[in-house]
Amino acid sequence: MNQKKIKRRLFPLLLFFIVFFPLLSFGQAEKARFLDKWSIGGGYNFLHRSKRPFDESTIELSVKYRLTNRHSFYLTFPLYFENHKREQGDFQLVVFDDPWLYRIWGTALGYNYTVFGRKGFSVFIGIGFDFKRNYRQYKDYHYVDDNQENKIEDHDLREYQNNAYGVSPQAGLSYRYGHLGCDLKYTFSAMLDMYKQDIILSNGDRYHADLNPRFDKYIKSYRSLHGLSLSLFYYF
């Protein structure tokens, strides 16, 4: 299944969650203002993996919508950015394995059900649909031997892209006091990873690395991600 087909199949699901479920709130027995059902927050997700591309801890921006006291929906945006600025003459820092530019972004849409709640504390379980994108850029330096001294002559850029789609079961604890709240959530994500490598030569030409006989396709693999996130929320 290629990337376009996956996007076409995910779009109706996203539309269903975003449009249909909020409409159900009108007609509930609870006479609360529409704004009172929303909350916004930010947090930090600790990801534990042994290798890239999604092993970095990300900042998370979140929006939650409470349909009832037990049913809620969320939309989360993970973000990570890293940019190494090096001087060309510092040869100790010129290492191919260290990225020059590295970023992660994505979105997660899901549903949570409150299993137990008392005095501001609650235990919840849920399921989410995730999309993550990883982009890494490396400088591949060219050296010239000048009187037995290695000097940088030029460099190419290597780009790596990973687009991952997946389903994420989760469980967590929540505490709310007035308009403020805190969530601690564990997430397990089973994801389809679509990978591609490009090389940009110093003269500006671009070509796909010989990783797949069909260069217009991403290489597909499966991976799992474990996340533990701590988030603070403001409830309207």
Side-chain angles (χ1 to χ4, degrees):
M1 185 183 299
N2 60 33
Q3 187 180 10
K4 291 184 178 180
K5 287 184 179 179
I6 292 176
K7 289 182 178 179
R8 285 199 298 266
R9 294 188 180 185
L10 285 178
F11 180 76
L13 268 175
L14 297 177
L15 191 63
F16 179 77
F17 276 104
I18 293 173
V19 177
F20 179 73
F21 275 101
L23 293 177
L24 292 179
S25 63
F26 300 101
Q28 295 290 324
E30 304 171 354
K31 294 183 179 180
R33 294 185 308 145
F34 179 72
L35 188 60
D36 292 338
K37 293 179 174 291
W38 294 88
S39 60
I40 57 174
Y44 195 68
N45 192 346
F46 306 89
L47 295 180
H48 301 282
R49 285 191 55 79
S50 59
K51 59 182 180 180
R52 284 174 175 154
F54 297 107
D55 62 338
E56 299 293 345
S57 299
T58 55
I59 295 173
E60 290 187 342
L61 306 177
S62 300
V63 177
K64 291 200 297 187
Y65 175 79
R66 300 176 301 283
L67 184 62
T68 67
N69 288 334
R70 287 192 176 271
H71 305 278
S72 62
F73 300 89
Y74 67 87
L75 184 64
T76 300
F77 304 94
L79 299 170
Y80 177 85
F81 182 82
E82 179 182 350
N83 187 6
H84 290 283
K85 294 182 179 179
R86 308 187 184 99
E87 296 180 1
Q88 278 194 331
D90 192 348
F91 300 107
Q92 298 299 321
L93 295 178
V94 179
V95 181
F96 179 75
D97 290 333
D98 198 10
W100 178 65
L101 181 64
Y102 185 30
R103 60 177 179 254
I104 299 172
W105 62 270
T107 184
L109 178 68
Y111 161 78
N112 285 329
Y113 174 76
T114 301
V115 179
F116 170 82
R118 186 177 181 181
K119 294 183 179 180
F121 286 95
S122 60
V123 178
F124 62 89
I125 58 175
I127 187 76
F129 301 92
D130 291 8
F131 164 76
K132 292 183 185 295
R133 179 164 189 175
N134 167 286
Y135 174 84
R136 289 163 291 155
Q137 187 181 85
Y138 297 84
K139 284 186 176 179
D140 188 8
Y141 290 91
H142 304 165
Y143 296 91
V144 57
D145 190 358
D146 185 9
N147 296 326
Q148 297 182 348
E149 292 184 4
N150 287 330
K151 293 184 179 180
I152 296 176
E153 182 183 50
D154 206 345
H155 67 267
D156 302 328
L157 294 179
R158 293 177 180 263
E159 293 182 339
Y160 298 85
Q161 297 182 42
N162 294 74
N163 294 337
Y165 306 82
V167 180
S168 303
Q170 56 203 248
L173 302 172
S174 181
Y175 176 73
R176 179 178 175 181
Y177 181 79
H179 288 282
L180 299 179
C182 178
D183 285 5
L184 179 65
K185 180 172 68 174
Y186 169 78
T187 303
F188 172 81
S189 301
M191 310 196 79
L192 170 64
D193 184 7
M194 305 175 69
Y195 167 79
K196 184 173 72 171
Q197 176 187 1
D198 291 335
I199 298 177
I200 305 174
L201 302 181
S202 56
N203 62 6
D205 293 339
R206 175 191 291 262
Y207 71 92
H208 300 290
D210 191 8
L211 296 175
N212 194 336
R214 300 188 63 183
F215 295 146
D216 60 331
K217 299 269 182 129
Y218 283 75
I219 294 177
K220 300 174 185 177
S221 62
Y222 294 91
R223 69 175 65 249
S224 61
L225 292 171
H226 301 268
L228 181 64
S229 59
L230 180 64
S231 302
L232 299 177
F233 285 91
Y234 177 81
Y235 293 83
F236 293 99

